[in-house]
Amino acid sequence: MNVAVEELSKIEIITKEAKVAELTKEFGKFGITGMTIYDAVGCGVQMGTEEYEIEKNEEPNLLKKQVVMVVLPSKEVNDFLEFVGKSLYTGHIGDGKIFVTPVTNAVRVRTGEEGKDALVEGELD
């Protein structure tokens, strides 16, 4: 297998379940044709404290979240992050987190396509 020429990045977006459908319906604008979404539980720096609670939790309170994972060309990451940030922002606790990780390669197992070619519609036979 050859290492892909174009740099790729994996974006993991952790947010409230209610925000995911609204967010992902606009992914096509970035040429994103595939994504992985899974349920998760966790808490951030507020230890799961809800905004209406007066005192910060001293023990972690794990809250239901969803993680949306996509891989896209690294050159598109800044525009994508701006879009995601605007889509998720409420200014309240729990808007979410976004993690960006470099991807050294992606391989479509069925065809052997690599890099960006493995992420877009390819051979059908």
Side-chain angles (χ1 to χ4, degrees):
M1 291 184 195
N2 299 321
V3 177
V5 175
E6 185 170 12
E7 291 184 24
L8 300 172
S9 294
K10 176 172 71 171
I11 312 295
E12 292 176 290
I13 305 159
I14 304 171
T15 192
K16 296 175 182 176
E17 185 176 0
K19 289 285 204 170
V20 171
E22 177 184 326
L23 175 69
T24 58
K25 74 179 183 181
E26 301 294 328
F27 279 9
K29 292 178 182 177
F30 293 91
I32 295 171
T33 58
M35 67 192 80
T36 301
I37 300 173
Y38 53 94
D39 294 326
V41 293
C43 62
V45 296
Q46 294 90 7
M47 304 271 291
T49 301
E50 298 286 351
E51 189 156 10
Y52 57 83
E53 296 176 325
I54 295 173
E55 293 185 23
K56 181 179 173 184
N57 289 340
E58 291 187 23
E59 294 181 16
N61 178 29
L62 302 180
L63 304 172
K64 290 183 178 184
K65 301 284 183 174
Q66 283 195 314
V67 179
V68 179
M69 185 197 72
V70 298
V71 176
L72 67 155
S74 296
K75 65 184 179 191
E76 298 174 16
V77 168
N78 288 337
D79 289 340
F80 185 71
L81 293 178
E82 185 177 332
F83 158 74
V84 171
K86 286 179 180 176
S87 296
L88 296 180
Y89 179 79
T90 66
H92 298 283
I93 292 172
D95 280 350
K97 293 276 189 310
I98 305 168
F99 297 96
V100 181
T101 309
V103 173
T104 59
N105 200 1
V107 179
R108 185 186 318 244
V109 175
R110 180 176 52 85
T111 63
E113 293 167 291
E114 296 187 57
K116 187 176 179 184
D117 292 342
L119 304 177
V120 296
E121 186 174 354
E123 299 176 21
L124 296 177
D125 29 288

